[in-house]
Amino acid sequence: MSGKILEFSHVAAGYGDREILKNITLSIHEGEFTGLIGSNGTGKSTLIKCISGLLPLNRGNISICGKENATLKSRERAQLVAVVPQSYHVEYDFTVEDIVMMGRNPYLGFRKRESQEDYDIVSEALKATNTEVFRGRFYNELSGGERQRVILARAIAQKPRIILLDEPTSALDIYHQMEVMELITKLNQEEHMTVLAVLHDINMASRFCQRIVMLQ
């Protein structure tokens, strides 16, 4: 098995005076597809927020690719970790290509425009998620399953080492749930992408994940 790519050591976090996560110690190895399950309120999404830097820890530490998470700048973290939320809404009429190109933002400076390499990476991400046919369409015109594949394409375009998924199929029907999960499995197996997925369906988790971690 490859080395540890994501480590939690005695992690505690919460909101205000309410501590949700208490003493979480866990290691994720490179190339693993790990499912995170548990009843509502156990802190699954909270843990994702801690990894992505949206929520500071009360105690403990998180290490990403051997680097202390708290010391990483947002741009550095985004080059290592991509997040696929339950849903993603935009107010303006961005095309699918625009949305996926947003995955390249961690590599673009204030004065640096998208290069041909960036466009090539976006094209690869669109092909990998079977969304190339939607390239010129407006994101808001797509169905729920199509949108979720586009957001996954955006995450792939970030070229991360880890993808975090926060209940990526919760708003989808069973057909699109299977489609998205099979696509994630393909990325894990063929691209050796490390995946940590919050899932609410234990049957789905047991079918696709190599390892399941339960939060109590």
Side-chain angles (χ1 to χ4, degrees):
M1 182 173 286
S2 301
K4 299 173 183 177
I5 195 170
L6 186 58
E7 295 184 80
F8 307 87
S9 179
H10 305 291
V11 167
Y15 307 95
D17 296 332
R18 185 172 175 232
E19 196 164 79
I20 306 295
L21 299 173
K22 301 177 182 180
N23 199 31
I24 302 295
T25 297
L26 171 68
S27 295
I28 306 295
H29 289 80
E30 189 166 11
E32 276 192 324
F33 188 161
T34 303
L36 192 62
I37 66 173
S39 58
N40 291 337
T42 53
K44 303 183 298 296
S45 295
T46 299
L47 192 62
I48 296 295
K49 290 179 182 178
C50 291
I51 303 168
S52 57
L54 296 177
L55 185 67
L57 303 184
N58 294 341
R59 293 183 304 281
N61 61 76
I62 296 174
S63 175
I64 301 175
C65 302
K67 300 177 181 179
E68 184 76 26
N69 192 25
T71 66
L72 292 173
K73 296 179 180 178
S74 297
R75 184 182 296 270
E76 294 174 319
R77 187 182 296 106
Q79 292 176 5
L80 298 174
V81 180
V83 181
V84 177
Q86 294 181 34
S87 60
Y88 181 74
H89 303 282
V90 294
E91 298 295 329
Y92 303 101
D93 284 332
F94 289 107
T95 66
V96 165
E97 185 176 30
D98 292 334
I99 295 292
V100 179
M101 183 61 76
M102 291 176 187
R104 301 303 301 157
N105 287 345
Y107 303 92
L108 301 176
F110 178 70
R111 297 179 182 276
K112 183 181 177 183
R113 295 183 60 83
E114 298 88 350
S115 66
Q116 185 59 50
E117 181 183 11
D118 294 312
Y119 281 101
D120 290 343
I121 289 172
V122 166
S123 292
E124 290 172 6
L126 290 167
K127 289 178 183 177
T129 54
N130 298 318
T131 53
E132 195 173 26
V133 67
F134 308 137
R135 188 180 205 128
R137 289 180 58 185
F138 289 125
Y139 173 80
N140 287 332
E141 294 177 350
L142 304 181
S143 70
E146 291 166 347
R147 289 186 188 187
Q148 201 67 351
R149 281 159 51 200
V150 170
I151 298 308
L152 191 54
R154 184 186 65 176
I156 295 169
Q158 276 183 237
K159 290 291 184 181
R161 294 182 64 183
I162 305 167
I163 287 187
L164 307 176
L165 302 116
D166 190 0
E167 298 198 23
T169 62
S170 61
L172 306 179
D173 60 39
I174 187 64
Y175 173 81
H176 289 104
Q177 286 180 27
M178 298 298 291
E179 184 180 49
V180 169
M181 291 301 293
E182 286 170 357
L183 178 55
I184 294 166
T185 301
K186 182 179 179 181
L187 289 170
N188 170 252
Q189 294 176 348
E190 297 183 3
E191 304 295 331
H192 308 293
M193 194 82 70
T194 303
V195 179
L196 178 60
V198 172
L199 299 168
H200 66 282
D201 186 336
I202 192 170
N203 294 315
M204 190 76 72
S206 63
R207 173 167 181 166
F208 289 100
C209 301
Q210 298 165 351
R211 185 159 66 115
I212 296 175
V213 175
M214 176 177 285
L215 291 185
Q216 181 176 355

